[in-house]
Amino acid sequence: MASECGNRITVSLFGASHGPAVGAVVNGLPAGEPVNTEALQRFLDRRAPGRSALATARKETDVPRFLSGIRDGATTGDPVAVVFENGDAHSGDYEALRFTPRPGHADYTALLRYGESADLRGGGHFSGRLTAPLCAAGGLALQLLARRGVAVGAHLLRVGEARDMAFDPVCVSPADFAGILKNELPVLDAAAGAAMKQEILAARTAEDSVGGCVECAVTGLPGGVGDPMFDGVESVLAKLLFGIPAVKAVSFGAGEDYAGLRGSQANDAFCVRDGAVRTVTNHCGGILGGITNGMPLLFSVTFKPTPSIGTAQQSVDLRTMKETTIEIKGRHDPCVAVRAVPVVEAAAALAVLDLLAGAGRL
Amino acid sequence: MASECGNRITVSLFGASHGPAVGAVVNGLPAGEPVNTEALQRFLDRRAPGRSALATARKETDVPRFLSGIRDGATTGDPVAVVFENGDAHSGDYEALRFTPRPGHADYTALLRYGESADLRGGGHFSGRLTAPLCAAGGLALQLLARRGVAVGAHLLRVGEARDMAFDPVCVSPADFAGILKNELPVLDAAAGAAMKQEILAARTAEDSVGGCVECAVTGLPGGVGDPMFDGVESVLAKLLFGIPAVKAVSFGAGEDYAGLRGSQANDAFCVRDGAVRTVTNHCGGILGGITNGMPLLFSVTFKPTPSIGTAQQSVDLRTMKETTIEIKGRHDPCVAVRAVPVVEAAAALAVLDLLAGAGRL
Amino acid sequence: MASECGNRITVSLFGASHGPAVGAVVNGLPAGEPVNTEALQRFLDRRAPGRSALATARKETDVPRFLSGIRDGATTGDPVAVVFENGDAHSGDYEALRFTPRPGHADYTALLRYGESADLRGGGHFSGRLTAPLCAAGGLALQLLARRGVAVGAHLLRVGEARDMAFDPVCVSPADFAGILKNELPVLDAAAGAAMKQEILAARTAEDSVGGCVECAVTGLPGGVGDPMFDGVESVLAKLLFGIPAVKAVSFGAGEDYAGLRGSQANDAFCVRDGAVRTVTNHCGGILGGITNGMPLLFSVTFKPTPSIGTAQQSVDLRTMKETTIEIKGRHDPCVAVRAVPVVEAAAALAVLDLLAGAGRL
Amino acid sequence: MASECGNRITVSLFGASHGPAVGAVVNGLPAGEPVNTEALQRFLDRRAPGRSALATARKETDVPRFLSGIRDGATTGDPVAVVFENGDAHSGDYEALRFTPRPGHADYTALLRYGESADLRGGGHFSGRLTAPLCAAGGLALQLLARRGVAVGAHLLRVGEARDMAFDPVCVSPADFAGILKNELPVLDAAAGAAMKQEILAARTAEDSVGGCVECAVTGLPGGVGDPMFDGVESVLAKLLFGIPAVKAVSFGAGEDYAGLRGSQANDAFCVRDGAVRTVTNHCGGILGGITNGMPLLFSVTFKPTPSIGTAQQSVDLRTMKETTIEIKGRHDPCVAVRAVPVVEAAAALAVLDLLAGAGRL
């Protein structure tokens, strides 16, 4: 149902950018799971805006309030409901654009879908603001996974023409994830981060924006998780990842590069390491037939450039059906991919938790 | 649920490569829809093996038998159940490999998931054979869509290093789809097809296989179809597409190229053409905020090389936990992407039909 | 998923009796539907406690706050999220009973299901308090239905040995529903209401409680709504109705009386009235094969007596596994069926709205 | 989706009474479960027609063919697909009634829902014939449950005015179930069975039919199974049971009698028996707050009289909109409740298996 995802552990998001609040309801979390609210807040702060020249100056209230499902620092087994009150919204910025849809945004399609009652202010329900409750839900999932030895980490693989090194597909470990957080931008190689920063600042200076790609790894995941076909690991993850605003491509392991490989190159030979079945390479990203094989799970997610840019753009006035030019005011991230890194981790954590539940491994 | 997909119009697949039969149950199709069984058979023949040097010599019985839901050449409103009897299976080929999983296949992960009762013969439930009933369901969907002015077409965009031209993202039309079918391989540019044929034959000669990429377009789709977030067009399509065996990447519109674009390049400016709102470019692949904008829907799907190759490969004997070398006998497609072209069309048709139903536009 | 219901229009409930708040998320409501908040509050007041000697004296804050999905007096198409803050909770009343489960309540089964983290205070997530957000969702549904000519009404059919007359199964109309609301208790026959009041007061005086049965009718529903088998009208309604705390039986039309009927008595003969196909009688409660036939929809729902009674009861101390005697303090309805009347209407409205959406009739 | 039910273990039914076949697809069954096909056939034979003067003389082919999911006498983990070919259909019997719907049948509502393409022959998809695949699925479920110590049994509680004794709600055991099968009709008290036989033969002689009620018990079920609210045990069972053709009422434990009880009578006091928590009485039918409490699960299901009766009935000719009289030819059960006893057991087994899976207890 639209704003909801998951089979055993479901996440339902609600709210709009300039409405009273955004929030999430999570069903299916086990009871008795400790919740570290400080660690959760640190995770949420990675997504929050207003902290550097690389992100929007909008100050959002990114402190979650739990209305249900958590008591005395642990889950109760009831649905978890979390709310983020909205504030600091400049809705006046948007009314002028009501009938001249912004290119790259959902304004026009939301009007087609919902008619004039659609709340388009700040992107409405389509806004990146909805990733706040997604991260709250995912942040809880990360804590449950950590207690089961499963870690999730992501980094900027690419911004414009600047590229980070990729995770080592066989040896990636939680130590890599810790290293990422020490850099100004979330990257493995600090030099790549510096280059990305230049790309972002250059776009910002040009009143423009730039796209990016996030690579994510999940370690510690047992083999045998996932179902065949439409509830395979790829399908479950992709449905969730494509629900994140601005995501336009998802690939697993070698992904699009598979098209250029021979089978003899692409197949991951089985081997024995420390008494366990492993593969020598990991082109498949840890997934065969939709089911995990015990190797690191690897995927990447491509984000559009922020559609809101300062330069003039061509649109259509829907009242007159005449072409017109619009200029977008307001505060916008020059590269959504930066703040999307923890969002990808959150989505991955929710998907993996759901898959583990489906395999009876939670 | 695993082998099932869809919200309003659901497809549930069953069967295994070497079991008695494979089939599908489709729920939610409207009643009174004419079914052209000859056109359906022609569509199924595009997927069927055994027709050229480019595909496996296995002769499958690709004639569907409808057990439910169709009477006197039209749908009745009851669930549609379709069965393909299996035949011509050489199960002996596989027993030797029972405890030495084939690299790149689901043998090992299926054993982890289902234990020794798993039916691994010929890939079992994970086999490409399951795309026969998927195509039967999708072939029906294509007929329903055609009556509503919606057309679906796909072609090989890449095989190894050979590349076809891409669809014109703004002007692609059913005439392009018709042209594709006239070539020996499903391509827009016959010269590209010849190069791809060389790639495939070279792989075949080397007892190897090669990967590929399929691009698909949907024309005639109205704007306003799809829901926000997890039931957006991208999510619905991706869940289905990643359920096709061997799919490892899915991208919409500019897809992974978005990472290198500026917003001023990526945004599709709105314009007026023939009195209607259109976009000048179509990087977004016809989807904004998960909802169609009335432009052609465009996406591409990357397939692994066939994991079954004739050359020796390293595996592990799971009984002794010793590394060992296996050789795979049997008949295999050197490039699954070729026969996957109609499969992608089938999946797209089912997803689009489901989305139209969800939008009350069916 | 547990606290969620519906196919096209879903309702997800969250919160616990003594937690911060209870609430609901409703997905799938059409955009642009006017919302009359005053009429909604009047509907909610019918469920609210603290108004008469016949109900608990607990004063709940039954004023809904909408966090999402409604703007400027109309639905926006976004998920509707509504919250009721909790207050006036005497949690101390419950801690004493933590390890001695109350007979008839979910204390014991919640402990089995969720372990010691379960929030049992005031019944936790199992409390009748959760019917407040259910009524908010259902109250919106009633307004949507009213604009489509569909009306829903319920009354107390039985409390203890006091019985009201039943709806006329063929001629029941919205005028009957209006009449019910004029009586002190929601009944068709005021004399029956007086007898029920005596039953309730007698139970209250005895520090006891009493069960009851609610009959509900839906008028104005077109024929052809519902699906065969497990999404038939009966299945959809029953799944929702049995989710209301204390419901133990659901019957449609003649219900349990069908067991004593001959087919020649039970079959509803078709006739023509005012040019339309109708039935002479309405034993089937307006449903044949799970699909509406255009006659009034009729069903009844039986509620347990309130499990919380003042008299001493036998329980088990789960720490010592010894039998013991408990006494329940606090404020409780002597008959949950009274306040359940609007709850049944709310559930019926949500189910009917979902069914209409499924039939493309919304 | 209409003809499908279940959360973790789903059953999807297809086919029509006079189509090529009826069948079921079951998803989610664990792998490696032994399947005793002889025991399954004995179970199916209890539902099959054509065996006595008490049932229809129609000879159906009630031998299941498994197309998927079972190999070498055990489940493989793949979807289980089972088909019953149809035969011996006299469709000519029905064409005469095409435009004059039979009272009590789904003919009229199916026409409203599906239009003239609806396959109404023999009741089409609404026919009791669909209970054959339901029993095949349920028969498998019964075998899985038996290996986990869970037994399911049902009996005729009432036919017309003849009534059987009820199960002992505290002490019912599998021995009771074995006793039921020794009687000509499935009852606890053979004398009650004789009285029911008279009711049925009297109805048959009068070319009429008679309704009935089936009581079902599930023993050996652990406590803590089920979820709150809409996936409580009552909701899960009711959704499935109301999907059985002709079911019009479902009640749990004391059911409708709760309306006349005081709380002090209705509450089941907790006690300790053999070191375990039990209840002294079992009015709640083993369910508190939607979750099992470890006592026997008890419910009853009321069936309409067979709508097909030999006597003349009033209908409407939909072409002329004139009232008319119809007579139904053909072979019909005088009391569907008799053959419904194993169907109720099958539905209960599927629901309980699904609930156990949901609780991680499978």
Side-chain angles (χ1 to χ4, degrees), chain C residues 86-170:
Chain C
N86 284 329
D88 192 30
H90 293 214
S91 297
D93 296 353
Y94 295 95
E95 284 304 309
L97 300 172
R98 186 158 183 80
F99 298 101
T100 49
R102 294 169 298 165
H105 275 289
D107 300 354
Y108 176 62
T109 54
L111 277 173
L112 292 177
R113 182 75 176 85
Y114 299 115
E116 296 204 356
S117 298
D119 179 3
L120 307 179
R121 298 168 302 161
H125 186 56
F126 299 84
S127 161
R129 175 72 176 147
L130 271 289
T131 59
L134 183 64
C135 280
L140 292 178
L142 285 166
Q143 297 189 11
L144 271 76
L145 290 176
R147 273 192 297 282
R148 287 153 179 88
V150 177
V152 179
H155 68 110
L156 284 168
L157 186 64
R158 180 180 176 191
V159 170
E161 294 308 320
R163 292 162 200 265
D164 193 14
M165 57 191 292
F167 283 127
D168 181 319
V170 172

Side-chain angles (χ1 to χ4, degrees), chain B residues 59-237:
Chain B
K59 287 182 188 61
E60 291 168 337
T61 310
D62 264 12
V63 179
R65 178 180 177 223
F66 287 94
L67 301 183
S68 172
I70 295 176
R71 183 190 174 204
D72 297 342
T75 57
T76 61
D78 299 336
V80 171
V82 61
V83 169
F84 294 80
E85 300 283 333
N86 285 331
D88 193 30
H90 293 214
S91 298
D93 294 353
Y94 295 93
E95 285 303 311
L97 299 172
R98 183 158 185 78
F99 298 100
T100 50
R102 295 169 298 165
H105 275 289
D107 300 355
Y108 175 61
T109 55
L111 276 173
L112 291 178
R113 180 77 174 86
Y114 298 116
E116 298 203 354
S117 299
D119 179 3
L120 307 179
R121 298 169 301 161
H125 186 56
F126 299 83
S127 162
R129 175 72 175 146
L130 271 289
T131 60
L134 183 64
C135 280
L140 293 179
L142 284 165
Q143 297 190 12
L144 270 75
L145 290 177
R147 271 192 298 282
R148 287 154 179 86
V150 177
V152 180
H155 69 110
L156 284 169
L157 184 66
R158 181 180 175 189
V159 169
E161 294 308 320
R163 292 166 202 262
D164 194 13
M165 58 191 293
F167 283 125
D168 181 317
V170 172
C171 299
V172 56
S173 78
D176 298 314
F177 307 157
I180 290 166
L181 298 183
K182 294 178 181 154
N183 295 315
E184 182 181 3
L185 282 175
V187 288
L188 288 167
D189 172 6
M196 288 177 185
K197 186 172 177 179
Q198 290 313 310
E199 288 270 355
I200 295 169
L201 291 175
R204 183 190 178 87
T205 302
E207 295 195 59
D208 209 339
S209 62
V210 64
C213 181
V214 174
E215 187 189 34
C216 184
V218 183
T219 64
L221 202 51
V225 173
D227 283 309
M229 312 214 73
F230 312 118
D231 276 319
V233 174
E234 292 106 331
S235 284
V236 169
L237 267 164

